[in-house]
Amino acid sequence: MIPFNKPFLTGNEIAYIQDAVASGKISGNGKYTNLCQDFLRNRYGFGKCLLTSSCTDALEMAAILVNIREGDEVIMPAYTFVSTANAFVLRGAKIVFADSQTEHPNIDAQRLENLVTSRTKAIVVVHYAGVACDMDEVMRIAAKFGLFVIEDAAQAIDSYYTGSDGIKKALGSIGHLAAFSFHETKNIISGEGGMLVVNDKHFMERAEIIWEKGTNRSAFFRGEVDKYGWVDIGSSFLPSEIVAAFLFAQLECIETIQERRLKLWNRYNECLGTGPDSRLFTLPTLPDFASNNAHMYYVVCGSLAFRSLLLNSLKDAGFHAVTHYLSLHKSPFFKEKHDGRVLPNSDYFTDRLLRLPLFYELEEQITMQIAKTIQNLNSSYML
Ligand SMILES: *Cc1c(COP(=O)(O)O)cnc(C)c1O
């Protein structure tokens, strides 16, 4: 059976972990944490970078930083992972779910402004599959109403947005705050892991305090204060040096990893793009302003029935494909709280999107076999 995902090891992970252990400093915020944070800040032009234990943690930090209080409204897509919403629900926010675009699971920025009320505090965008949302429009609305923008960039490492000013910016460098994931299913991994990016200077000092359990410990170690203590709310959000050492080995190979993933992505796209005119699935689309980081390859099936059939046929042929998000406005936890608006595009992708295996060690030959299986089923289904 070809798995859906297989974590890729670059080869240096164990050596760096050994080095971290031998150094005698294995708690967080040490040599490897700094190496990772500096690497990412320099490569992508991010503001302050703080490694976290997960993207979920980074989102929780973001919710604390923008001071979400009971009843504040936060707009975000319904087609996303639970953590995008849960981080804000934990602080008492009322979640206002927005619909996806018709052609892509990303939030429909053109219809976002209607959702803003006097209680709206923030917009959370999710760059689905590492494909940029329409950030010019999102930032325009945010500026107009004085809202914070948080990028859920969990899937968006090494991906870019080119705005109407022609400047190409890394995803995660545009909003006031951004959250990345290094979970083993993402492009760059550390088992569990994440990062908060703080682009707005106003948040930088407090972010570090929240990160260090509500203390000014980081300022103390820099010699800025003579003793450290409890100065704000916070939690234990930083990962150990063992995790950071693993992550640094991955980051050093980011170009090789991205090149490989893009090659496989393009292979799927070529093989699935040819065939009969009447196809029961469509291929992923990318707007002109977005780059492709090959986080995932998916097809959008013409019907729920065809997707189920496809999923099973691929399984029978030895390939593990998977469906993706169940729209959060229809989840058991949220459905009673939802304001009742119908979100047809979000539901559409819930029913029809199918993700195909994509990982570093997948052979190109296999992507071609998977594509062939899909094409064959398409042809027999048409008959
Ligand atoms: C993976 C993912 C998360 C959660 O990341 P963790 O590091 O597992 O907490 C959040 N949002 C999106 C869109 C994701 O894909």
Side-chain angles (χ1 to χ4, degrees):
M1 191 81 184
I2 299 293
F4 168 68
N5 180 56
K6 181 175 177 227
F8 171 63
L9 301 180
T10 67
N12 282 332
E13 286 85 354
I14 301 295
Y16 290 172
I17 289 172
Q18 217 152 33
D19 179 51
V21 172
S23 78
K25 153 91 184 157
I26 50 175
S27 61
N29 201 4
K31 171 180 152 186
Y32 283 101
T33 299
N34 285 312
L35 281 171
C36 292
Q37 290 174 173
D38 291 348
F39 178 96
L40 288 156
R41 202 184 58 239
N42 294 334
R43 186 175 166 100
Y44 298 113
F46 294 148
K48 193 179 188 67
C49 292
L50 295 172
L51 291 192
T52 55
S53 301
S54 63
C55 179
T56 302
D57 268 359
L59 289 163
E60 286 178 26
M61 285 183 72
I64 297 173
L65 274 169
V66 302
N67 262 328
I68 296 295
R69 300 227 167 81
E70 198 70 36
D72 286 344
E73 293 179 9
V74 179
I75 301 171
M76 64 181 66
Y79 193 80
T80 185
F81 188 62
V82 188
S83 296
T84 318
N86 202 38
F88 293 85
V89 168
L90 276 170
R91 318 253 23 113
K94 177 183 166 205
I95 308 297
V96 177
F97 283 121
D99 205 2
S100 298
Q101 302 165 28
T102 44
E103 70 283 12
H104 195 278
N106 275 349
I107 197 164
D108 187 348
Q110 301 305 322
R111 290 190 296 151
L112 211 54
E113 198 167 333
N114 296 334
L115 301 176
V116 177
T117 73
S118 59
R119 308 225 54 176
T120 309
K121 190 113 181 220
I123 301 171
V124 187
V125 294
V126 179
H127 304 298
Y128 187 79
V131 173
C133 295
D134 182 352
M135 293 309 287
D136 278 353
E137 181 63 3
V138 171
M139 297 311 285
R140 183 192 67 77
I141 295 166
K144 181 171 170 185
F145 296 99
L147 312 175
F148 294 115
V149 173
I150 297 133
E151 298 176 71
D152 180 339
Q155 307 173 8
I157 193 81
D158 206 52
S159 201
Y160 294 83
Y161 171 77
T162 307
S164 55
D165 56 9
I167 299 172
K168 186 172 151 185
K169 294 189 191 116
L171 299 187
S173 71
I174 305 166
H176 301 88
L177 299 164
F180 284 89
S181 175
F182 304 118
H183 184 264
E184 73 168 19
T185 50
K186 305 301 202 274
N187 293 27
I188 298 294
I189 62 173
S190 61
E192 302 280 352
M195 176 173 68
L196 178 75
V197 173
V198 185
N199 296 314
D200 183 331
K201 288 198 170 50
H202 298 104
F203 292 129
M204 289 184 183
E205 198 184 321
R206 191 168 178 235
E208 212 173 55
I209 290 167
I210 292 165
W211 189 56
E212 283 270 28
K213 304 151 187 105
T215 73
N216 53 352
R217 190 167 177 270
S218 299
F220 171 73
F221 281 118
R222 281 195 301 268
E224 292 165 16
V225 291
D226 14 310
K227 48 181 185 290
Y228 83 87
W230 188 13
V231 295
D232 201 336
I233 60 167
S235 191
S236 182
F237 287 119
L238 54 152
S240 85
E241 278 290 292
I242 297 171
V243 170
F246 189 112
L247 182 62
F248 190 61
Q250 292 267 315
L251 289 172
E252 282 188 323
C253 292
I254 192 163
E255 277 170 26
T256 324
I257 292 171
Q258 289 301 93
E259 200 182 306
R260 177 70 193 159
R261 294 186 71 103
L262 275 163
K263 188 165 200 167
L264 296 167
W265 196 100
N266 287 323
R267 185 55 94 201
Y268 268 132
N269 213 48
E270 276 162 33
C271 297
L272 288 166
T274 55
D277 285 342
S278 45
R279 265 176 289 162
L280 295 163
F281 58 90
T282 56
L283 306 185
T285 57
L286 261 88
D288 291 340
F289 56 62
S291 73
N292 181 14
N293 74 343
H295 171 60
M296 80 168 80
Y297 197 87
Y298 64 81
V299 292
V300 181
C301 298
S303 66
L304 177 60
F306 185 67
R307 184 180 71 175
S308 306
L309 197 69
L310 191 51
L311 187 63
N312 289 326
S313 305
L314 286 168
K315 197 163 149 207
D316 291 343
F319 309 118
H320 189 193
V322 299
T323 61
H324 216 187
Y325 303 129
L326 305 168
S327 296
L328 293 182
H329 69 297
K330 292 195 167 165
S331 62
F333 176 74
F334 203 84
K335 62 176 187 256
E336 301 304 326
K337 301 172 185 65
H338 182 59
D339 55 27
R341 279 172 304 113
V342 181
L343 305 175
N345 299 333
S346 182
D347 294 342
Y348 181 89
F349 291 111
T350 289
D351 287 347
R352 299 170 194 228
L353 192 142
L354 189 69
R355 304 173 67 191
L356 305 179
L358 179 59
F359 50 89
Y360 189 95
E361 289 171 80
L362 185 66
E363 288 165 35
E364 270 182 79
Q365 194 55 36
I366 303 289
T367 62
M368 289 151 78
Q369 284 172 28
I370 292 172
K372 202 165 175 62
T373 310
I374 297 173
Q375 297 282 25
N376 287 346
L377 185 75
N378 184 77
S379 312
S380 59
Y381 198 80
M382 297 302 293
L383 294 175

